[in-house]
Amino acid sequence: MINLILLTSILTQPVVGGNRAPFVPDSIKYPTYADTVWAIELLVKTQDPEGDSVAYQIDWGDDTVLVWSRFFPPGIEIDRTHTYKKQGNYTIQVRAKDKNENVSEWSRPLPILVGKDIIKWRFEANNSIYSTPALDKDDNIYFGTEEGTFYSLTPAGTLRWIFQTRGSIYGSPTIGTSGIYFGCSDSSLYCLDFNGNKLWEFRTNGEIYSTPAIDQQRNIIFGSDDSTLYALNDKGELVWKYKTGDEIPFSPAIGSDGTIYVVADSVYALTASGKRKFTFPPPEDDYYATSPIVDLADNVYFGGTDGYLYAMLPNGRLRWRAPVLDEDQIRCELTIGLGDTILLGCEDGFVYKKGKYGPLIPVYESDDEVLAAPVMDQAGHIYFLSEDGYFYCLEQDGRLRWKLEIAMGEKSVLITSTATIGKDGTIYVGTQDNFLYAFNGDFGVPDTPWPTFHQNVKHTGRVEKYEKKKK
């Protein structure tokens, strides 16, 4: 059937003097959304029946038609940019010609929506932002920088207050009822009130990269590079601690029954009082490299350096495991999107998804590894920051909606800020270039077991929605 279609395409090419026109361009990559500020990029390539060089012409749909490009070898992808001047719905078409002036038909119309500005605002901090922003009930924003400064901004992007620590803040804050909690490389967990005043500080014997979780008793659970998982009450007093076999740079997750899961040299499952229930060791010569997440049935998911996504039953037995394409390392936290689809990024530059059944499916390939968790909104748009410096927005089917280059500087750690979506649809993300960006959006996060970094915009790391449904 494929050969018949190809033969039909060849036979229907316009012919001039026995020489056929290039094939109608059908390998066209372009964003489905644009604004009137940033130029979009279109990539196109096609073949020619005789192997002749080809030139391209693009009709952008807004009464702008490019002059013919220069000639390129067939099959070579070229790029062109365009900035729209007015909002509206447009269609893009491309055609090709060879050096004999044989011109193909126009490609099928490609729809693009030009709408409101993609960037809402940006705020410049004093240093790199690896922290994933947290939001309180009023959508005030909280994050830390490598300089050790902790910031609070209004939803409009203006500074509310700052607090200075003695080290670097690589982890992300957690918003509780009594205060804001975050760890620091100075080995302390800090608790601030909502006006930026320090309520207390708890010292450990190692740097803290872990984002704290808050259990049903309002205890604050976090790991340290001293290999210890700590539980503090909301006054900063030690409730219990548990020694693992390795550093704990990852964030704990709490299931519906209060079981605490954390990754160190194994996946540890602890009771709410800090007693070990079981461990789930990694394969030999590999280790788990993501924080765990939990679904409504208390199944636990995490990724490893062996290139497998793991699903663990509540009793500590393997439920299944699924590999990425070339078994590259999985180092970013996972999320659960619409339809309870698991989303993850990988060292190979792909964003993957996995439904209830079947394998991991590559959704989109960026130009570098993906360390930040992909996050889906209620409309199915997927947001993530790649190590190629671009912040991506994808359609649910994996087509590029838009992308912007926002993170060009050198990085000092293998941590990347994950997008946080506010209830009004605004998307927040930090960069190593010192900026916190706010992007315009229209949809909040979906009602799934783990829709965003550390379960919710407050980062409590607990399956709260499950508890509400049980009441």
Side-chain angles (χ1 to χ4, degrees), residues 276-441:
R276 188 173 76 176
K277 296 176 70 173
F278 59 80
T279 60
F280 187 91
E284 188 175 359
D285 298 325
D286 280 297
Y287 57 92
Y288 302 128
T290 73
S291 300
I293 68 171
V294 187
D295 71 11
L296 297 182
D298 281 339
N299 298 305
V300 185
Y301 305 90
F302 43 91
T305 57
D306 60 353
Y308 279 82
L309 171 67
Y310 288 83
M312 183 182 73
L313 293 166
N315 61 8
R317 295 183 180 274
L318 178 67
R319 185 183 181 205
W320 49 254
R321 65 175 192 157
V324 295
L325 287 177
D326 296 317
E327 299 185 7
D328 288 300
Q329 297 182 358
I330 301 172
R331 291 183 172 273
C332 81
E333 186 168 339
L334 319 171
T335 60
I336 300 178
L338 294 170
D340 287 347
T341 300
I342 298 171
L343 299 171
L344 64 120
C346 183
E347 184 184 46
D348 61 10
F350 279 98
V351 167
Y352 290 85
K353 66 179 180 180
K354 188 185 184 309
K356 187 175 181 180
Y357 304 105
L360 277 167
I361 299 172
V363 176
Y364 186 88
E365 184 179 15
S366 69
D367 291 328
D368 207 337
E369 62 185 311
V370 180
L371 297 175
V375 177
M376 183 181 285
D377 68 16
Q378 291 168 336
H381 304 135
I382 302 169
Y383 301 92
F384 68 97
L385 179 59
S386 169
E387 299 308 288
D388 64 12
Y390 282 89
F391 186 64
Y392 291 83
C393 175
L394 309 180
E395 303 286 1
Q396 190 172 0
D397 61 6
R399 290 177 298 148
L400 178 66
R401 182 169 171 82
W402 54 260
K403 69 175 185 178
L404 286 181
E405 189 175 22
I406 63 172
M408 290 74 78
E410 294 294 322
K411 294 184 66 174
S412 59
V413 291
L414 287 175
I415 302 171
T416 300
S417 179
T418 291
T420 299
I421 304 177
K423 55 179 176 285
D424 67 347
T426 302
I427 306 107
Y428 305 95
V429 71
T431 74
Q432 68 265 29
D433 296 338
N434 306 356
F435 286 101
L436 184 87
Y437 283 83
F439 297 92
N440 278 306

Side-chain angles (χ1 to χ4, degrees), residues 195-209:
N195 294 314
N197 303 304
K198 186 172 81 170
L199 298 177
W200 50 261
E201 174 185 349
F202 182 89
R203 296 279 293 173
T204 71
N205 294 313
E207 297 182 352
I208 302 173
Y209 299 90

Side-chain angles (χ1 to χ4, degrees), residues 22-23 57 158 239 260 318 329 337 371 425:
F23 295 118
Q57 187 177 46
T158 58
V239 178
I260 300 160
L318 178 67
Q329 297 182 358
L371 297 175

